[in-house]
Amino acid sequence: MTERIVRGRILTFRDDPRLAGARAWRLIDDGALAIEDGLIAAVGEAREILGRAPKDAAIDDHAGKLVLPGLIDAHIHYPQTRVIGSYGAQLLDWLNKYTFVEEQKFADPAHSAAVARFFLDELFRQGTTTACVYCTVHPASVDAFFAEAERRGARMIAGKALMDRNAPPGLMDTAQSGYDETNALIARWRGRGRLDYAITPRFAVTSTEAQLELSGALAAEHRDAYVQTHLDENFAEITFVKRQFPWAKTYLDVYARYGLLGPRSIFGHCIHLAESEVAALASSGSIAAFCPTSNLFLGSGLFDKQRLDKAGVRVALATDVGGGTSYSMLATAAEGYKVLQMGGQSWPATQAFYQMTLGNARALSLQDRVGAIEPGREADLVVLDSHATPAMAHRMESHEGDLEEELFVLMIMGDDRAVRETYVSGRAAKGG
Ligand code: GUN
Ligand code: ZN
């Protein structure tokens, strides 16, 4: 039974425009899609889809607006909603001064639940429908997040941070308790609704070798679960890691030794990489998450996308809130563009929109489920208005009908104001 028809200018990617050029996307100017049981049942010209629809089907007409797959954020911290925009520190000081203080509050399940509600409201308001999420060390923070995501029918990946050193006592587990709690959380949540689990050793600074070893054991025991952590973000961090693991030639050696690399492993930042690290990321199929607003805000450095593309490393785009300064994937892409410009690299809007949708879906091995508007995919969508502000409308006046210009305006000037609606599992979700 068709539940809903969404009509608009449907834009979806089938491949990476960097490799496939203009064949990579499909725009249906007066398009429509039919939703059944939370899935996309059909997509095509509006007159065809409407002609076949039952008379009582609800029709959401977004005339003139772009309808895209819901945006995907490959790395974000839900306990940092009150850390975002904290002044004046680089990574390690920022963690100690702001982040580790705030994250201790998530021992309280009621606090976790309230923040999870705010967080998902905010993601949907920004057009993000799937994210790869760090919780805190407290299992209650994971339960709260997954319960809220399940209630909303959202496709989310998340996990409990594993941390057993170099953190306040209220923010530490032990190698064994972290292992046991992760196993229990996986048993409770993995595969339930649209949820999936990420084994989450926070970063090499806050884990002992015993904990990293058990993280590797978890990854081996749960081959389909994800692994997420941080890598080569900041010089002081890298020095710390080298001191803590003197046998390691590189930061990535630490994770490699414990079996934490692979096609379901997402490494946040990946800025200051040695050649051997680039090669190891590529050969293992691991994913580098580009977090431009965070990298600028924390003064971490400039991501080198061209180098990673050339080496065949899989790349994702991410906000990294609260080191990142915006929940908006559009604003994140804008900062990504500027970071790449600083390195003499370009990033056409078609590539950026591919990245926010199908590209990130592929990075998370979710391309059969989300990231495209095709029959059988889950009905997560975002409706974007390239005329959302007076300045955007004014800028668009001389470029009506030019998709690449329009996407670039959305990418560089757009944010939550450009998000007209968000659909999660086929239901309008922007209102919370
Ligand atoms: N490295 C370890 N933890 C974090 C975090 O919460 N944010 C960022 N940006 N880097 C980290
Ligand atoms: Zn992060």
Side-chain angles (χ1 to χ4, degrees):
M1 248 302 277
T2 298
E3 292 147 22
R4 184 173 298 279
I5 306 281
V6 175
R7 182 177 187 177
R9 296 168 56 227
I10 294 178
L11 176 64
T12 189
F13 290 84
R14 291 177 163 161
D15 208 342
D16 184 347
R18 183 171 63 86
L19 305 172
R23 286 182 294 110
W25 66 87
R26 177 183 185 208
L27 173 70
I28 313 174
D29 246 318
D30 185 10
L33 59 93
I35 298 170
E36 287 179 24
D37 296 328
L39 301 179
I40 297 167
V43 55
E45 296 291 338
R47 67 187 136 68
E48 277 170 36
I49 300 292
L50 289 165
R52 275 191 267 142
K55 287 205 170 34
D56 58 352
I59 299 172
D60 290 358
D61 192 347
H62 299 289
K65 311 294 180 290
L66 285 167
V67 179
L68 286 100
L71 308 180
I72 299 172
D73 185 341
H75 177 130
I76 185 166
H77 300 255
Y78 106 82
Q80 296 179 13
T81 53
R82 288 187 179 140
V83 176
I84 186 170
S86 292
Y87 175 75
Q90 293 213 348
L91 178 64
L92 299 179
D93 292 335
W94 173 86
L95 285 170
N96 286 316
K97 191 169 168 189
Y98 302 114
T99 307
F100 289 169
V101 176
E102 193 61 31
E103 290 196 6
Q104 292 182 59
K105 298 178 186 161
F106 289 73
D108 174 6
H111 180 75
S112 295
V115 175
R117 281 195 297 276
F118 169 82
F119 178 82
L120 287 170
D121 280 347
E122 183 61 18
L123 289 198
F124 296 171
R125 224 175 55 72
Q126 301 275 2
T128 298
T129 52
T130 288
C132 205
V133 179
Y134 285 65
C135 304
T136 65
V137 73
H138 315 98
S141 77
V142 186
D143 287 331
F145 178 76
F146 276 141
E148 193 59 28
E150 183 180 48
R151 192 176 73 73
R152 297 170 189 234
R155 179 163 288 288
M156 291 285 158
I157 301 165
K160 170 198 128 69
L162 296 161
M163 315 166 61
D164 68 345
R165 66 168 147 176
N166 296 322
L171 220 50
M172 283 200 288
D173 50 16
T174 66
Q176 191 60 46
S177 71
Y179 174 85
D180 293 341
E181 287 165 354
T182 298
N183 262 326
L185 287 164
I186 290 173
R188 187 140 72 242
W189 291 108
R190 244 207 104 214
R192 192 156 138 186
R194 302 174 71 199
L195 309 177
D196 213 331
Y197 198 87
I199 299 157
T200 308
R202 185 182 198 123
F203 69 154
V205 169
T206 46
S207 286
T208 60
E209 301 207 21
Q211 178 156 77
L212 292 169
E213 189 164 346
L214 285 182
S215 300
L218 285 164
E221 288 156 18
H222 304 281
R223 291 229 165 261
D224 293 338
Y226 295 85
V227 171
Q228 60 181 353
T229 188
H230 296 85
L231 174 69
D232 285 323
E233 177 177 6
N234 167 286
F235 288 124
E237 170 209 22
I238 295 167
T239 303
F240 199 109
V241 169
K242 290 203 172 145
R243 207 161 6 102
Q244 194 157 265
F245 302 90
W247 50 263
K249 284 204 190 61
T250 65
Y251 191 159
L252 190 60
D253 271 352
V254 176
Y255 298 136
R257 172 158 178 162
Y258 296 107
L260 293 168
L261 279 57
R264 296 177 89 84
S265 297
I266 302 125
F267 293 93
H269 308 296
C270 297
I271 302 171
H272 309 291
L273 296 169
E275 264 319 295
S276 64
E277 292 177 294
V278 174
L281 288 171
S283 65
S284 61
S286 300
I287 297 100
F290 176 21
C291 308
T293 74
S294 171
N295 299 161
L296 295 171
F297 182 71
L298 295 175
S300 302
L302 303 177
F303 186 86
D304 189 343
K305 182 169 183 296
Q306 198 170 61
R307 179 185 184 206
L308 297 185
D309 284 343
K310 208 165 140 212
V313 176
R314 298 164 71 204
V315 170
L317 181 67
T319 64
D320 191 36
V321 164
T325 53
S326 174
Y327 293 86
S328 167
M329 287 301 291
L330 300 176
T332 299
E335 296 309 285
Y337 178 83
K338 296 171 200 170
V339 165
L340 297 181
Q341 281 278 70
M342 289 299 292
Q345 301 173 26
S346 70
W347 204 25
T350 49
Q351 288 182 29
F353 274 89
Y354 159 77
Q355 189 67 62
M356 290 182 253
T357 56
L358 183 61
N360 273 2
R362 285 176 168 175
L364 299 176
S365 301
L366 290 175
Q367 67 275 12
D368 295 336
R369 300 183 182 277
V370 293
I373 300 179
E374 305 280 356
R377 297 300 200 293
E378 296 163 356
D380 291 347
L381 307 165
V382 62
V383 181
L384 295 178
D385 179 3
S386 56
H387 297 62
T389 68
M392 290 169 78
H394 179 76
R395 167 70 172 79
M396 281 302 299
E397 264 170 28
S398 47
H399 296 286
E400 298 298 351
D402 184 334
L403 178 68
E404 292 179 52
E405 281 286 339
E406 183 176 11
L407 293 179
F408 197 59
V409 166
L410 277 166
M411 166 182 173
I412 299 302
M413 301 176 77
D415 52 27
D416 52 325
R417 293 168 297 178
V419 176
R420 279 302 168 94
E421 189 52 273
T422 303
Y423 294 88
V424 173
S425 287
R427 285 191 298 275
K430 208 184 144 192

